[in-house]
């Protein structure tokens, strides 16, 4: 696992490359590798997970194909054996070492042979014109950002936005209309980011740039879904359990200590139980000092004890939230309105402090197996012949459409008339594409919301703590199996994730299996109230003068939100204020007049861990 960066058809000084490396060294503190030549450069920060003494990057040193790589290739052993049979040799057993040889054998189609999570940058110097190739994994677990300068015909890329801004000539120009996209979907979807000129690679995409030519990209076709197997719910649940058991076992293989993140819900508890079948494991949960709603620590402890896992309770103090929020937003590089982001950052820092380098989580189970209430409500409304789209989109949003429009100034509303909040292609497929409503929603959730809203957040905040996160529910075998299920085996009769619950039967305590579903989140409705640290921070940043100077938000409308939340606390005004606070923290950190620098670390006393006896 690493951080990667570089440039093509451009010039950068060694100092620039070291600056970019330093800005994301948290994601690869174990080694730095840089190679530069006329018109191109590749760099890597390494987090050593496999073959700790090997793995020097760029791979292919001395050859005509150079590669830097971020991620894990889980089938690298089989690939190495095959490639050795074709005459290739390897100096180490690091997983990424197979990539240059694989490219030499299969060209741009080399990604068809990879099983894992990755972003890859490859320079091929064999032809008359050198070429740069960038590739991402099938579901978007390892993000890659890039900036194409059409005038200079140059391309720069990096695993994180703050690092990409470390290249000279990369001004942090905020895309003003992106505020609406952010509030509509909690973070921008598609290829655009909150910055002008900075794009993010889509999942399953290969981008090629030849020297002197504009880049072109190709979205690799999705694999065909398997046909549903024989039998009904019980037989399908057995297949799902078998696939998850196999993937969890493969993802536990590492040359460093591996931990489990256990929230106390179905998904992470099931991963913990399956991991414990392979031997003793350590389980981590996060909670907040004091008495707050949605405290899941007792469910997480029960799941860990049922699996005989060593249980670590991480507790953070709400008094430290303002400082943690600044760090969290900086590492994300652009606003993400998920309140759990702050806790995620603190949790992974604690996991690393406890001596672990890899962690398995339960992320993506809801998208794959139909776990969100908004999915169920939309499917039920569509079956009854009722309108479903606006309620579904409002459930996705940080601020529902009607409230969002009321917050804007007249001038900003006018600017947004021709600027859609959702990528047009994604919205068209969601509303009018082929397939059942639930099928279209699943495509949208997996193809757009999951990589943008969840996976980038998990990647950036885990790597901020030098932790590699592995995601069993994102493995292609599990995704394909979940997507092949008919509606009745995903959502039926008011129940979500029917097949996954059936697959977990007998592996988890009844208290976890039968508990009502609740979000794994920060209880912001309770925490954004007068007298609380987050309330004070929001009032300090969302002042009428600041909002008026920016010109997009109506100061009186935002003040009305504060009044409502103070008098009648509720989820809608709380999430709206939280989202505006996150956006203002981000704007303060990345406005062009401010120097690009990581914020000071949160106080050491902010994190506390203890292993249950």
């Amino acid at each position: 696992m690493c951080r990667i960066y570089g440039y093509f058809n451009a010039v950068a000084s060694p100092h620039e490359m070291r600056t970019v490396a330093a800005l994301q060294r948290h994601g690869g503190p174990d080694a730095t590798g840089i190679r530069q030549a006329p018109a191109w450069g590749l760099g890597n920060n390494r987090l050593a997970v496999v073959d700790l003494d090997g793995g020097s990057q760029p791979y292919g040193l001395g050859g005509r194909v150079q590669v830097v790589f971020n991620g894990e290739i889980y089938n690298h052993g089989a690939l190495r054996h095959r490639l050795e049979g074709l005459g290739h040799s390897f100096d180490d057993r690091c997983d990424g070492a197979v990539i240059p040889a694989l490219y030499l054998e299969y060209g741009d189609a080399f990604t068809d042979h990879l099983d894992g999570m990755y972003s890859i940058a490859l320079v091929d110097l064999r032809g008359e014109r050198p070429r740069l190739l960038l590739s991402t994994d099938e579901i978007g677990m390892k993000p890659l950002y890039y900036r194409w300068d059409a005038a200079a015909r140059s391309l720069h890329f990096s695993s994180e936005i703050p690092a990409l801004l470390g290249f000279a000539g990369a001004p942090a120009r905020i895309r003003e209309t992106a505020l609406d996209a952010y509030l509509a979907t909690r973070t921008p979807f598609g290829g655009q980011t909150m910055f002008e000129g900075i794009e993010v690679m889509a999942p399953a995409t290969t981008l090629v740039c030849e020297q002197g030519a504009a880049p072109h990209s190709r979205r690799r076709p999705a694999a065909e879904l398997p046909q549903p197997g024989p039998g009904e719910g019980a037989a399908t649940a057995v297949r799902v359990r078998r696939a998850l058991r196999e993937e969890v076992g493969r993802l536990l293989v590492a040359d460093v200590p591996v931990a489990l993140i256990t929230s106390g819900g179905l998904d992470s508890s099931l991963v913990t139980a399956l991991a414990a079948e392979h031997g003793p494991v350590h389980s981590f949960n996060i909670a907040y000092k004091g008495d707050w709603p949605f405290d899941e620590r007792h469910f997480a402890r029960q799941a860990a004890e049922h699996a005989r896992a060593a249980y670590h309770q991480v507790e953070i103090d709400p008094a430290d939230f303002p400082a943690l929020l600044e760090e969290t937003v900086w590492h994300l590089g652009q606003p993400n309105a998920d309140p759990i982001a702050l806790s995620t950052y603190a949790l992974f820092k604690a996991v690393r402090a406890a001596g672990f380098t890899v962690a398995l989580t339960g992320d993506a189970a809801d998208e794959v197996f139909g776990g969100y209430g908004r999915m169920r409500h939309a499917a039920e409304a569509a079956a009854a012949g009722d309108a479903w789209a606006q309620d579904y989109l409002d459930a996705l949003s940080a601020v529902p459409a009607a409230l969002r429009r009321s917050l804007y100034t007249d001038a900003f509303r006018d600017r947004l008339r021709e600027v859609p909040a959702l990528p047009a292609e994604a919205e068209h497929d969601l509303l009018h594409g082929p397939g059942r409503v639930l099928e279209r929603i699943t495509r949208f959730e997996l193809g757009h919301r999951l990589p943008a809203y969840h996976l980038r957040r998990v990647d950036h905040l885990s790597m901020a703590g030098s932790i590699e996160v592995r995601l069993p529910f994102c493995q292609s075998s599990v995704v394909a199996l979940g997507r092949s299920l008919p509606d009745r085996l995903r959502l039926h009769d008011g129940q979500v994730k029917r097949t996954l619950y059936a697959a977990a039967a007998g592996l988890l305590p009844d208290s976890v299996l039968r508990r009502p579903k609740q979000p794994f989140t920060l209880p912001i409705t309770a925490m954004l109230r007068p007298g609380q640290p987050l309330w004070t921070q929001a009032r300090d940043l969302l002042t009428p003068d600041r909002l008026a100077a920016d010109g997009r938000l109506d100061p009186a409308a935002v003040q009305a939100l504060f009044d409502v939340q103070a008098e009648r606390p509720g989820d809608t005004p709380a999430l709206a204020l939280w989202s505006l606070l996150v956006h203002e923290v981000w704007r303060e950190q990345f406005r062009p007049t401010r120097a690009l620098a990581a914020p000071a670390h949160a106080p050491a006393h902010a994190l506390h861990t203890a292993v249950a006896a």
Side-chain angles (χ1 to χ4, degrees), residues 427-434 440:
E427 184 173 14
H428 182 271
D429 185 60
L430 173 66
L431 302 180
H432 309 294
R440 301 202 305 266

Side-chain angles (χ1 to χ4, degrees), residues 253-306:
V253 177
D255 295 335
V256 292
V258 180
L260 284 302
I261 304 300
T262 310
S263 70
L266 168 69
D267 314 327
S268 61
S269 297
L270 178 54
V271 171
T272 300
L274 293 172
E277 294 177 351
H278 296 266
V281 295
H282 290 256
S283 166
F284 284 77
N285 173 262
I286 193 155
Y288 315 106
K289 185 177 180 180
D291 185 15
W292 301 100
F294 306 119
D295 191 328
E296 297 185 290
R297 72 180 82 193
H298 54 294
F299 293 114
R301 184 181 292 274
Q302 289 169 8
E305 290 176 349
H306 194 270

Side-chain angles (χ1 to χ4, degrees), residues 99-179:
I99 295 173
L102 202 64
Y103 173 77
L104 290 172
E105 290 293 334
Y106 302 106
D108 294 1
F110 77 98
T111 53
D112 295 345
H113 303 267
L114 300 177
D115 176 12
M117 55 180 179
Y118 57 85
S119 58
I120 296 169
L122 180 153
V123 172
D124 184 350
L125 304 172
R126 295 174 300 164
E128 291 184 4
R129 293 198 301 177
R131 68 198 304 254
L132 170 73
L133 182 148
L134 305 177
S135 287
T136 51
D137 66 64
E138 305 308 305
I139 203 164
M141 288 178 275
K142 305 309 295 179
L144 190 61
Y145 302 91
Y146 68 96
R147 179 175 60 87
W148 165 250
D149 185 331
R153 307 192 81 72
S154 64
L155 190 147
H156 294 76
F157 64 89
S158 184
S159 297
E160 298 180 9
I161 288 177
L164 184 57
L165 295 173
F167 282 110
R173 293 192 303 269
I174 291 173
R175 188 165 62 93
E176 298 295 331
T177 58
L179 172 62

Side-chain angles (χ1 to χ4, degrees), residues 168-200:
R173 293 192 303 269
I174 291 173
R175 188 165 62 93
E176 298 295 331
T177 58
L179 172 62
D180 185 57
Y182 161 65
L183 295 178
T185 53
R186 308 194 188 197
T187 201
F189 287 7
Q192 288 189 320
T193 69
M194 299 290 290
F195 292 95
E196 294 283 358
I198 294 179
E199 297 188 59
V200 59

Side-chain angles (χ1 to χ4, degrees), residues 316-339:
I316 54 178
D317 190 336
D320 297 319
F321 284 1
L324 282 174
L325 181 57
E326 291 189 6
E327 287 194 66
T328 300
V329 170
W330 188 85
H331 281 292
L332 287 171
Q334 56 182 347
N336 182 308
D338 192 341

Side-chain angles (χ1 to χ4, degrees), residues 526-545:
M527 290 182 170
L528 261 174
R529 299 182 67 177
Q532 296 297 327
L534 287 177
W535 179 270
T536 302
Q537 187 180 25
R539 295 307 313 239
D540 288 345
L541 285 179
L542 298 170
T543 65
D545 288 347

Side-chain angles (χ1 to χ4, degrees), residues 387-408:
W388 60 271
Q390 191 57 58
D391 286 346
Y392 171 76
L393 291 172
D394 279 346
L396 284 179
S397 71
V399 184
L403 176 57
R404 194 164 68 245
R405 286 191 294 270
S406 74
L407 293 177
Y408 298 152

